[in-house]
Amino acid sequence: MSLRADLAIIANHVARGARVLDIGCGDGALMAALRDGKQADARGLEIDPRNVAAAVGRGLSVIQGDADVDLAGYPDASFDYAILSQTLQTCRAPDAVLGELLRIGRRAFVSFPNFAHWRVRLSLLCGGRMPVTRLLPERWYDTPNIHHLTIDDFRAHLKDRGITVEGTWFLSRGTETTSAAANFLAEHAIFLLRGTDPDQ
C-alpha cells in the first residue's frame, strides 16, 4: 500500500534504525513503512480506538492516547524522531504539543494543511463560506481542525520560539512543489525541526 504524499516524504528522511514516536499515527501506515523499510523502532499514540485496533492488527506498538495530555509522561530525548502529521491543527493547545514534541524527540516532523492556499482564499473571497476542499473535506461544523494555521504563521511561530528548521517540503495536489510563494501555492507543508537535546 502506498503512503500518503506527506508520509512518504517523512519516511524517506527518517534514518535507518531510528527510534520513532508517531503521534496521531492513524492506522499505523507510516509506522509499518518505517518498521519494514528502515528497520525503525516505531511506537505510536492514537486517539481513535478503531485506528489503534487497526495498527495493533499490523503488529505495531500503539497505545490509545491524546496528544494534548499524554506526552508529558515520555522522558526527554527518548526518540530520534517525534512525528506529528496532520494533527497539529486538531490539538487544543498546539503550542504546548509542539513543545512536548521537541522535548521528547531529538528531531520532529510536523506536517499540516495550509489554510492560506489560493483555493481556500478563493473560496472565502467568492463564496463567503468556509472552504471544503480535497484536503479539507469537512464542513465548518464537523471539522476536527480547530486551529487554522498557514505556512507563514508556522514559520513566524518557529522564529519567535527560536526553533531550528532543518528541512521543509511543500506539496500541491500530492506533488512536491517549490518553496517560492509556498504560503500561497502549497496545499500542505512538512517541517523537520531540531529538538532541545543538548547532546545533538
Side-chain angles (χ1 to χ4, degrees), residues 117-132:
H117 183 257
W118 68 266
R119 285 192 185 90
V120 175
R121 298 185 194 204
L122 187 63
S123 178
L124 283 169
L125 178 66
C126 296
R129 299 175 65 182
M130 291 304 294
V132 176

Side-chain angles (χ1 to χ4, degrees), residues 44-61:
L45 182 73
E46 170 59 38
I47 198 168
D48 185 332
R50 293 166 298 183
N51 280 334
V52 173
V56 170
R58 293 177 186 238
L60 298 167
S61 177

Side-chain angles (χ1 to χ4, degrees), residues 32-50:
L34 292 172
R35 176 195 63 192
D36 300 340
K38 293 288 184 79
Q39 290 72 56
D41 177 7
R43 311 296 173 94
L45 182 73
E46 170 59 38
I47 198 168
D48 185 332
R50 293 166 298 183

